[in-house]
Amino acid sequence: MQRTYQYRLYPNQEQQDALDVIMRQSCLLYNEALEHRQHVYKHTGQSVSFPAQWERFREDRKARGEDFGLLNATSVQQLLRRLDKTFAAFFRRLKQGDKPGFPRFKPAQRFRSVEYRYGDGVRFKGDKLYLQHVGDIGIRLHRSVPGGCLKHVVLSRKAGNRWFVSFQGDDGEVTPEPKSGIAIGVDMGLMSLLAFSDGTLIDNPRWLRRALRRLRHAQRTLARKTRFSSRWWQCKRRVEALYWKIANQRRDFFHRITHRMTNEFALIAVENISPKFMLANKHLSLSASDASWAMFRSMLDYKAERAGCIVIEVDAQHTSQACSGCGRIKKKRLSQRWHSCTCGCQLDRDVNAAVNVLKRARCGPTVANAA
Ligand SMILES: [Zn+2]
């Protein structure tokens, strides 16, 4: 299974300066490669191939020491491949008749990661991480690195000046015992974060709501400062740090929930809500992005696969409108929190939806595949 493990790096000042130079040089190379492609496209309408670009920048890397001297050959290749993919996507969308934006230049502030191959300019050296042209950097191994992950290495800067390294790789097939036990339906609610068909409601924790309030306040303050002034930068770093913290808290929270769910249940039924639909609907968009469904789903999926638990997607249509007792459609407005039906069914709105989701998973065609 493909996995990524991320660790915090603790470079000293000198190493930080060297890392900054690597980022700046990578950014420069990316932008120059982009310019090269733009130039060729303008004059011939053709795309430049990856090998042609590599050929060109391999020479440049040698000849222009002060511009590209700290760049690793593999990193440059990865960088050019990244650009190649961006262009492939651009041309694909052009063909489809879309109007895609031409790939844009990246400002240095937004250039945040460089890729390596393990053993080529980056490797473990005792309890430090050796990086070519930088030295032995302190790393906090909060968990051990699985052997299969030591292939693809990404060096990145986040939230102001925090450095991270992540290892990506395949750690082999896992074939867990299939589980027997409880099946549960989950509704991704609007008011509560998650509702289970057994009546459990899980809300965004209070500390997260408090942190979001703090973030909003910090953003307001930032908006009132003169752009690029020293106070503005001060404030901007504060906002970034808050964002980072909240993202971490939310990820941690989702890890705990999905871990508990995949341990406890044998079958989990969820709605097939596409983020596109949610974001297109103005009324839903805030809570949708806020609750980060995509993150929840991807965590649920990979944890379920490891735990031998089955996740079934069902059609989301009318799950909140239909009565889970008798199946009649009972129109409710978004503000209506309680489901009550003439058949005697009395439930929280989201729990009612969760029961419907579970029902669909049990009688839908997907259940055959699952079994
Ligand atoms: Zn009913």
Side-chain angles (χ1 to χ4, degrees):
M1 190 184 282
Q2 280 292 326
R3 306 212 86 187
T4 304
Y5 286 78
Q6 183 175 257
Y7 303 90
R8 176 96 181 254
L9 291 175
Y10 293 92
N12 60 31
Q13 192 54 54
E14 206 178 310
Q15 293 170 337
Q16 246 181 63
D17 293 344
L19 287 169
D20 278 336
V21 175
I22 290 181
M23 284 293 163
R24 265 207 310 280
Q25 292 191 346
S26 303
C27 185
L28 181 69
L29 190 131
Y30 182 89
N31 285 334
E32 282 199 16
L34 176 57
E35 201 182 353
H36 176 224
R37 276 175 182 264
Q38 277 186 353
H39 184 82
V40 174
Y41 179 69
K42 234 182 232 155
H43 288 88
T44 66
Q46 295 289 310
S47 174
V48 189
S49 70
F50 161 75
Q53 281 218 310
W54 169 234
E55 190 73 31
R56 179 196 158 119
F57 283 97
R58 187 169 52 188
E59 295 307 314
D60 270 7
R61 209 171 64 88
K62 281 183 208 139
R64 293 164 54 188
E66 74 257 43
D67 285 343
F68 303 134
L70 295 200
L71 298 184
N72 174 281
T74 315
S75 318
V76 173
Q77 285 179 349
Q78 293 293 355
L79 210 66
L80 294 174
R81 272 202 197 100
R82 212 196 290 177
L83 186 62
D84 198 49
K85 267 188 210 148
T86 313
F87 264 84
F90 168 73
F91 282 113
R92 192 177 57 237
R93 291 192 52 197
L94 213 58
K95 235 183 186 171
Q96 283 169 3
D98 290 356
K99 282 189 193 145
F102 202 81
R104 286 190 302 171
F105 292 107
K106 280 195 187 179
Q109 302 97 298
R110 236 180 289 150
F111 201 89
R112 287 166 188 274
S113 67
V114 182
E115 297 169 41
Y116 289 85
R117 205 167 42 216
Y118 188 79
D120 179 7
V122 57
R123 64 172 186 277
F124 279 106
K125 200 166 154 191
D127 55 353
K128 304 258 172 148
L129 188 80
Y130 165 80
L131 198 71
Q132 190 183 11
H133 302 303
V134 179
D136 303 335
I137 310 173
I139 181 172
R140 189 168 133 61
L141 291 170
H142 63 281
R143 69 196 296 176
S144 58
V145 190
C149 279
L150 288 174
K151 274 179 213 149
H152 196 61
V153 183
V154 181
L155 180 75
S156 57
R157 174 169 49 194
K158 287 177 192 170
N161 237 351
R162 296 178 176 89
W163 290 91
F164 296 87
V165 63
S166 42
F167 301 99
Q168 298 170 0
D170 204 315
D171 63 352
E173 289 295 309
V174 242
T175 38
E177 294 280 299
K179 262 203 209 154
S180 59
I182 312 162
I184 196 124
V186 181
D187 176 63
M188 302 170 173
L190 291 169
M191 297 302 157
S192 46
L193 187 60
L194 298 170
F196 292 170
S197 53
D198 65 359
T200 314
L201 290 170
I202 294 174
D203 208 348
N204 256 325
R206 195 168 299 156
W207 45 258
L208 192 56
R209 287 200 298 261
R210 259 205 312 266
L212 285 169
R213 242 190 335 263
R214 259 201 315 275
L215 178 66
R216 269 195 286 279
H217 180 256
Q219 271 169 329
R220 249 189 336 259
T221 318
L222 177 70
R224 292 201 193 102
K225 301 270 186 283
T226 314
R227 258 193 136 194
F228 307 126
S229 66
S230 66
R231 292 256 176 125
W232 184 85
W233 277 115
Q234 223 173 26
C235 210
K236 172 121 175 113
R237 272 192 288 275
R238 206 174 103 73
V239 169
E240 270 183 4
L242 270 174
Y243 255 122
W244 185 65
K245 184 167 180 183
I246 290 169
N248 278 347
Q249 287 179 322
R250 180 180 285 150
R251 198 170 49 238
D252 177 63
F253 180 64
F254 275 127
H255 269 306
R256 283 163 200 263
I257 289 183
T258 48
H259 179 80
R260 232 177 47 211
M261 286 170 73
T262 50
N263 269 346
E264 215 169 302
F265 307 121
L267 184 150
I268 300 170
V270 291
E271 291 170 301
N272 64 342
I273 298 177
S274 86
K276 234 185 195 164
F277 156 76
M278 296 289 270
L279 291 171
N281 188 332
K282 239 186 182 172
H283 204 82
L284 301 178
S285 66
L286 182 79
S287 37
S289 57
D290 211 29
S292 341
W293 303 139
M295 183 161 70
F296 169 74
R297 276 308 308 278
S298 73
M299 281 185 188
L300 189 67
D301 284 349
Y302 87 77
K303 282 192 171 59
E305 197 178 326
R306 312 209 121 207
C309 149
I310 296 161
V311 177
I312 294 180
E313 264 192 10
V314 303
D315 185 10
Q317 221 178 11
H318 301 312
T319 44
S320 60
Q321 306 296 347
C323 172
S324 59
C326 63
R328 250 177 299 200
I329 298 287
K330 191 145 183 348
K331 285 256 182 259
K332 284 186 279 291
R333 264 179 298 175
L334 275 176
S335 57
Q336 224 168 312
R337 303 303 312 137
W338 196 253
H339 170 84
S340 81
C341 180
T342 41
C343 73
C345 192
Q346 295 276 340
L347 275 172
D348 177 275
R349 171 210 181 94
D350 291 339
V351 173
N352 176 60
V355 175
N356 280 329
V357 169
L358 180 60
K359 275 188 165 174
R360 281 187 196 182
R362 282 207 162 120
C363 62
T366 31
V367 85
N369 315 344

